[in-house]
Amino acid sequence: MRAVDLIIKKKNGQPLSKQEIHYLIKGYVDGSIPDYQISALLMAICFQGLSSEEQLFLTTEMLESGEKIDLSSISGICVDKHSTGGVGDKTTLVVAPIVAACGLKIAKMSGRGLGHTGGTLDKLESIPGYQINVSSAEFLKQVEEIGIAVIGQTANITPADKKLYALRDVTGTIESLGLIAGSIMSKKLASGANSILLDVKVGDGAFMKTIEEARELAQAMVRIGNGFNRRTVAVLTNMDEPLGYMIGNSLEVIEAIETLKGQGPADLKQLCYDLSAELLMMTRIKLTYEEAIQLIEEKVTSGEALQKLYQMIAYQKGNPNVIVDYSLFGTAPYQYNVLANEEGYIKKIATEDIGIAAMLLGAGREKKEDKIDHRVGIKINKKVGDFVEKGESLAVLYANQENSEAENKVRRAFTLQKKKTEKNPIVIDIIR
Amino acid sequence: MRAVDLIIKKKNGQPLSKQEIHYLIKGYVDGSIPDYQISALLMAICFQGLSSEEQLFLTTEMLESGEKIDLSSISGICVDKHSTGGVGDKTTLVVAPIVAACGLKIAKMSGRGLGHTGGTLDKLESIPGYQINVSSAEFLKQVEEIGIAVIGQTANITPADKKLYALRDVTGTIESLGLIAGSIMSKKLASGANSILLDVKVGDGAFMKTIEEARELAQAMVRIGNGFNRRTVAVLTNMDEPLGYMIGNSLEVIEAIETLKGQGPADLKQLCYDLSAELLMMTRIKLTYEEAIQLIEEKVTSGEALQKLYQMIAYQKGNPNVIVDYSLFGTAPYQYNVLANEEGYIKKIATEDIGIAAMLLGAGREKKEDKIDHRVGIKINKKVGDFVEKGESLAVLYANQENSEAENKVRRAFTLQKKKTEKNPIVIDIIR
């Protein structure tokens, strides 16, 4: 078998066999097949795609390339949740405590943010003292004892995916449905949960810009999950405006806490409740949606959900008092308003640009090596369908210094019109 | 400017600017852009193509990456000829002496064979003593004095193309019209001739399998040549059967000598005369085709064309007596016939397989490092449209030892049928 022949095969639109994909991935990881052959293959895949079978083969190879987390020692039902990434996406910080309060075990390894999207680890690290580096043994113990843990990657899972992703990043081959599906699912499968909920973001602020491509990705991932005998559900959710009002690390943790106190923004609350309900229904087959929502409402109202967040922060050496005293997060030195130049209804918000503006302020990374300031970010004051007066505040920037580039980006992100438009629903579709 | 952004631009089907192509090629040559980015770009080009403008930009960059041969010191008209490669293609060994005898100066740098096609340098090296490594000064002196030289690459021309070609070879990105056109034309332009004749082979034994793709390549190369103010003509010629009867290095030189003696096979003779006529008409505008052919016939009949080959061999330290004594080439120890299993007319000959069989016998290289045996090869006895009796010889193998793989390949290469088919003409089209 020669790599060049397999590249040509894929270039010509023919499917690769299990053995051929094994040969390529194994050879790439052990260094016997060079970067430049794999990048040509990846580009051919971007044009010719991967069949469902090839996606399964690829996922298998990436999964088997590294360690796998064994959650079998944990009593009860272990669930996992993944978001494809958006702007202001703090759902994990709400959903994980809710489902833990409902009796599920949530054992989640999260990632960092890159580009216009934030990452859950960065948000959690805005909590003073919070440790994301936890050994596998401690991770299992924490989940068993309190039912909830959100940590960084502990074991050396899916090294093949890591190596491939780094190559895709610099060769313009990120955007390929089969590659994205394989990358996400190999990590989820290696993380060990039996039930996997996927939040596939769609819209201007997401990687998937159209419902069609988001649905295809969702279907591909559900197919892979089922192919490995994991209960897998994907929810297509709207990312045509930031989720909630807050963008930035400590700002988002605060908004998540508010939501667990029953005071969060409507869209964030609905999404978190629906995702939590889906996780409950996946694992308790006879539960109806209405019953699930009722249970969630109870756990929020009683404070049990918030208590789970408190327990997790404390267990991971963070200061849990942030829940009652937001000043512990520290505050950005400059806060200033971005004012509307005219009046009108918000027609749309260029969500990716809001994410980029937050990154420019220091809330995110352009490159992996960049440092984050956990205090900075953006609070948007207006969402799609809202009316704004001329001179009224569209958003507040939390910054270290004046930043006209970020300010202009935020101002231009809002498109106004005379008539009020209807908002798209937050949950677009569910693929089971 | 970032390479990854340019890769994505090409991936999305947008054309690259002159500056962008400069950045990419320069960066690749100086090592600041790594292989793995360029191979992804090349694969994107295979799918999205290169516009005529982009082809010109790419050719310019490859041309300017290295030295250029300056033929301006040579009196008279310097011409060059290039073949895209086929099986049994010894035309250079006939055309160069003919046009030199007609008063043109032919200053040609040739290449080696790879895969199923032979290379002119390998053929010339079958002549005892023939030197292909000649300095630029000696090259110019030879062309000035005797009007003909066929040598290996002397100066460091188009290093960018060399580096790109090596990468394309191992990443499945050879077959892209714009890349092929740019690669060939940058070398021809660097070689310095003002008039360039391109023999674009089409058919089973050629890289271009269909007339449509061969015509597109020919048009692209003529456009590039004209873009650099060189007279450029492309001739589309049939490669659905080996050219002449002989395949293999010394065997082909012998057949070329026979043709210069007026005794060559009809197809080879016609092609060589037509290509020579085209070169004469390109450089002497008022000459008609009939006049050109008449001049060529005279130069062959008078022995002047053969004399030019003799002079060239002698000048390049080869033994010119091979022209009268073929035994000086040496003979392959085994010669055996491949016999027909049934009777019938030859419908078609799998020409690429004949080329591969010759390679298996040792006449060609599978890999660049492989050694060649100049004496081995194949003489086909039947061409398309010929009748063969059962048990009659289809071909003779000239070999070092019995080789059943080559023998079977040759036998299976011939397809017979009851009715006689018409042959395609040797010259399919001329693109001026």
Side-chain angles (χ1 to χ4, degrees):
Chain A
M1 218 179 278
R2 294 193 318 160
V4 62
D5 298 325
L6 304 182
I7 298 170
I8 292 171
K9 196 172 174 186
K10 177 47 68 183
K11 181 189 176 197
N12 293 338
Q14 294 168 271
L16 299 175
S17 70
K18 187 172 173 58
Q19 289 71 29
E20 289 166 341
I21 290 175
H22 172 74
Y23 171 81
L24 289 164
I25 302 299
K26 187 174 164 298
Y28 185 49
V29 171
D30 71 22
S32 62
I33 299 178
D35 280 336
Y36 55 78
Q37 288 190 313
I38 298 298
S39 65
L41 175 75
L42 291 169
M43 185 59 83
I45 289 172
C46 286
F47 283 94
Q48 297 288 12
L50 289 175
S51 71
S52 302
E53 271 207 310
E54 289 175 297
Q55 289 173 23
L56 270 180
F57 300 151
L58 176 64
T59 306
T60 304
E61 290 306 322
M62 299 204 291
L63 174 61
E64 297 299 335
S65 71
E67 295 176 48
K68 286 173 270 185
I69 309 293
D70 181 1
L71 299 176
S72 61
S73 66
I74 293 173
S75 57
I77 299 161
C78 276
V79 300
D80 198 355
K81 172 217 165 264
H82 179 82
S83 161
T84 58
V87 177
D89 182 13
K90 66 283 285 177
T91 50
T92 292
L93 304 177
V94 182
V95 171
I98 286 177
V99 298
C102 294
L104 298 178
K105 298 276 166 74
I106 183 148
K108 180 157 168 55
M109 288 193 282
S110 247
R112 299 205 175 272
L114 192 62
H116 71 280
T117 64
T120 302
L121 293 185
D122 300 319
K123 291 167 199 177
L124 285 167
E125 283 183 335
S126 72
I127 300 168
Y130 193 93
Q131 294 301 313
I132 60 136
N133 294 315
V134 170
S135 73
S136 292
E138 289 170 313
F139 180 53
L140 295 180
K141 183 162 168 281
Q142 179 178 340
V143 175
E144 179 63 31
E145 285 183 15
I146 64 168
I148 180 171
V150 181
I151 68 166
Q153 260 185 30
T154 162
N156 180 27
I157 64 164
T158 65
D161 175 62
K162 284 196 195 78
K163 196 169 176 186
L164 275 177
Y165 193 90
L167 185 62
R168 287 165 60 203
D169 192 34
V170 293
T171 56
T173 51
I174 291 287
E175 286 171 45
S176 167
L177 187 139
L179 296 176
I180 297 171
S183 174
I184 294 174
M185 290 309 293
S186 63
K187 279 182 287 197
K188 290 293 116 183
L189 294 164
S191 302
N194 264 312
S195 299
I196 301 164
L197 179 66
L198 303 161
D199 180 2
V200 180
K201 302 286 185 196
V202 52
D204 182 79
F207 290 108
M208 301 284 128
K209 304 294 181 195
T210 71
I211 294 183
E212 291 66 36
E213 54 185 354
R215 195 189 309 275
E216 265 190 80
L217 175 64
Q219 287 166 339
M221 292 194 292
V222 169
R223 219 160 27 220
I224 294 170
N226 292 337
F228 283 86
N229 289 313
R230 312 287 176 105
R231 268 166 304 197
T232 310
V233 171
V235 183
L236 262 53
T237 72
N238 183 17
M239 191 33 76
D240 267 335
E241 60 181 353
L243 187 61
Y245 292 98
M246 298 296 202
I247 303 106
N249 298 287
S250 63
L251 295 172
E252 294 192 39
V253 177
I254 293 168
E255 194 168 57
I257 295 169
E258 287 292 303
T259 305
L260 287 170
K261 290 177 179 171
Q263 291 149 20
D267 61 343
L268 178 61
K269 178 183 169 184
Q270 197 195 328
L271 178 57
C272 291
Y273 282 26
D274 278 5
L275 291 176
S276 301
E278 208 53 54
L279 276 167
L280 292 170
M281 291 189 289
M282 281 168 77
T283 48
R284 293 167 59 185
I285 305 297
K286 289 189 179 160
L287 199 74
T288 66
Y289 174 76
E290 290 71 22
E291 288 165 348
I293 293 293
Q294 198 189 329
L295 182 60
I296 291 161
E297 296 269 18
E298 283 168 24
K299 297 297 177 188
V300 171
T301 309
S302 69
E304 289 171 77
L306 188 62
Q307 179 64 15
K308 279 291 161 197
L309 182 64
Y310 185 96
Q311 285 179 332
M312 179 176 82
I313 295 172
Y315 211 108
Q316 293 186 229
K317 304 190 175 60
N319 183 348
N321 295 327
V322 292
I323 284 174
V324 284
D325 181 2
Y326 299 153
S327 74
L328 293 170
F329 286 110
T331 324
Y334 288 82
Q335 296 176 22
Y336 54 103
N337 284 289
V338 177
L339 305 180
N341 290 331
E342 49 176 348
E343 66 161 43
Y345 289 95
I346 310 294
K347 184 187 175 192
K348 61 177 182 179
I349 302 175
T351 310
E352 183 168 349
D353 285 347
I354 298 280
I356 292 170
M359 183 186 81
L360 292 173
L361 291 172
R365 297 178 187 84
E366 193 169 348
K367 298 186 297 281
K368 282 198 190 79
E369 313 77 58
D370 294 347
K371 283 255 173 222
I372 275 184
D373 184 334
H374 291 101
R375 303 168 306 169
V376 302
I378 299 166
K379 179 192 181 197
I380 61 167
N381 284 316
K382 299 289 173 180
K383 303 212 21 158
V384 172
D386 288 353
F387 186 77
V388 63
E389 305 272 3
K390 184 177 171 177
E392 199 184 350
S393 172
L394 288 166
V396 184
L397 302 193
Y398 295 78
N400 280 311
Q401 55 197 47
E402 289 209 33
N403 187 319
S404 59
E405 191 185 354
E407 187 180 341
N408 288 330
K409 229 180 210 338
V410 170
R411 183 177 292 104
R412 282 198 303 265
F414 289 84
T415 306
L416 275 63
Q417 65 179 7
K418 292 266 172 275
K419 283 203 306 188
K420 182 172 170 143
T421 22
E422 286 304 306
K423 247 190 214 289
N424 289 319
I426 185 77
V427 172
I428 298 165
D429 200 0
I430 299 173
I431 287 136
R432 292 187 175 95
Chain B
M1 217 178 279
R2 295 193 318 161
V4 62
D5 297 324
L6 304 182
I7 298 170
I8 291 170
K9 195 172 173 186
K10 177 46 71 183
K11 181 189 175 197
N12 293 338
Q14 294 168 271
L16 299 176
S17 71
K18 187 172 172 58
Q19 289 70 30
E20 289 167 341
I21 290 176
H22 173 74
Y23 171 81
L24 289 164
I25 301 300
K26 188 175 164 296
Y28 184 49
V29 171
D30 72 22
S32 61
I33 300 179
D35 281 337
Y36 55 79
Q37 289 190 313
I38 298 299
S39 65
L41 176 75
L42 291 169
M43 185 59 83
I45 289 173
C46 286
F47 283 94
Q48 297 289 11
L50 289 175
S51 71
S52 302
E53 271 207 309
E54 288 176 297
Q55 289 173 22
L56 270 180
F57 299 151
L58 176 65
T59 306
T60 304
E61 290 306 321
M62 298 203 292
L63 173 60
E64 297 300 335
S65 71
E67 295 176 49
K68 285 173 271 184
I69 309 294
D70 180 2
L71 299 176
S72 62
S73 66
I74 293 172
S75 57
I77 299 161
C78 276
V79 300
D80 198 356
K81 169 212 167 270
H82 179 83
S83 161
T84 58
V87 177
D89 181 11
K90 68 281 286 179
T91 50
T92 293
L93 304 177
V94 182
V95 171
I98 286 176
V99 298
C102 294
L104 298 178
K105 298 277 168 71
I106 183 148
K108 183 160 168 51
M109 288 194 284
S110 249
R112 299 202 175 274
L114 192 63
H116 71 280
T117 65
T120 302
L121 292 185
D122 299 320
K123 291 167 197 176
L124 285 167
E125 283 184 336
S126 72
I127 300 167
Y130 193 93
Q131 295 301 313
I132 59 131
N133 295 315
V134 170
S135 74
S136 293
E138 289 171 313
F139 180 54
L140 295 180
K141 184 161 168 281
Q142 180 179 341
V143 175
E144 180 61 31
E145 286 183 15
I146 64 169
I148 180 170
V150 181
I151 67 166
Q153 260 183 29
T154 162
N156 180 26
I157 65 165
T158 64
D161 175 63
K162 284 195 194 80
K163 197 169 176 186
L164 275 177
Y165 193 90
L167 185 61
R168 287 165 60 204
D169 191 35
V170 293
T171 57
T173 52
I174 291 287
E175 286 172 44
S176 165
L177 187 138
L179 296 176
I180 297 171
S183 173
I184 293 173
M185 290 309 292
S186 64
K187 278 182 286 195
K188 290 292 115 183
L189 293 164
S191 303
N194 264 310
S195 299
I196 300 165
L197 179 66
L198 303 162
D199 180 2
V200 180
K201 302 287 187 197
V202 52
D204 182 78
F207 290 108
M208 301 284 129
K209 305 292 181 197
T210 70
I211 293 182
E212 291 66 35
E213 55 184 354
R215 196 189 309 275
E216 264 191 80
L217 175 64
Q219 287 166 339
M221 293 195 291
V222 169
R223 220 161 26 222
I224 294 170
N226 293 336
F228 283 86
N229 290 313
R230 312 287 176 105
R231 269 166 302 197
T232 311
V233 171
V235 184
L236 260 54
T237 71
N238 182 18
M239 191 34 76
D240 267 335
E241 60 180 353
L243 187 61
Y245 291 99
M246 298 297 202
I247 303 106
N249 297 287
S250 63
L251 295 173
E252 294 192 41
V253 177
I254 293 168
E255 194 168 59
I257 295 169
E258 287 291 303
T259 306
L260 287 169
K261 290 177 178 170
Q263 291 149 20
D267 61 343
L268 178 62
K269 177 181 170 183
Q270 196 196 327
L271 178 57
C272 291
Y273 282 27
D274 278 6
L275 291 176
S276 302
E278 208 53 53
L279 277 167
L280 291 170
M281 291 188 290
M282 281 168 77
T283 48
R284 292 167 60 183
I285 305 296
K286 289 187 178 163
L287 199 74
T288 65
Y289 174 76
E290 289 71 23
E291 288 165 347
I293 293 293
Q294 199 189 332
L295 182 60
I296 292 161
E297 296 270 17
E298 283 167 24
K299 297 297 178 187
V300 171
T301 310
S302 70
E304 288 170 79
L306 188 62
Q307 179 66 15
K308 279 291 162 197
L309 182 64
Y310 184 97
Q311 285 179 334
M312 180 177 82
I313 294 172
Y315 211 109
Q316 292 186 231
K317 303 191 174 60
N319 183 350
N321 296 326
V322 292
I323 283 174
V324 284
D325 181 2
Y326 299 152
S327 74
L328 293 170
F329 286 108
T331 324
Y334 288 83
Q335 297 176 22
Y336 55 102
N337 285 289
V338 177
L339 306 180
N341 290 331
E342 49 175 349
E343 67 162 41
Y345 288 96
I346 310 295
K347 183 187 175 191
K348 61 176 183 181
I349 303 175
T351 310
E352 184 169 347
D353 285 347
I354 298 280
I356 292 170
M359 183 186 80
L360 292 173
L361 291 172
R365 297 176 187 83
E366 194 170 347
K367 297 184 297 279
K368 282 198 190 79
E369 313 77 57
D370 294 348
K371 282 258 173 217
I372 275 184
D373 184 334
H374 291 101
R375 304 168 305 170
V376 303
I378 299 165
K379 179 191 181 197
I380 61 166
N381 284 317
K382 299 289 172 181
K383 303 215 17 161
V384 172
D386 289 353
F387 186 78
V388 62
E389 304 272 5
K390 184 176 172 178
E392 201 185 350
S393 172
L394 288 166
V396 184
L397 302 193
Y398 295 78
N400 279 311
Q401 56 196 47
E402 289 208 34
N403 187 321
S404 59
E405 191 185 354
E407 186 179 341
N408 288 331
K409 230 178 209 337
V410 170
R411 183 177 292 107
R412 281 197 303 263
F414 289 84
T415 306
L416 276 62
Q417 64 179 7
K418 291 268 172 273
K419 282 202 307 190
K420 183 170 171 148
T421 21
E422 285 306 305
K423 245 190 215 293
N424 288 320
I426 184 77
V427 172
I428 298 164
D429 200 359
I430 299 173
I431 287 134
R432 294 188 174 93

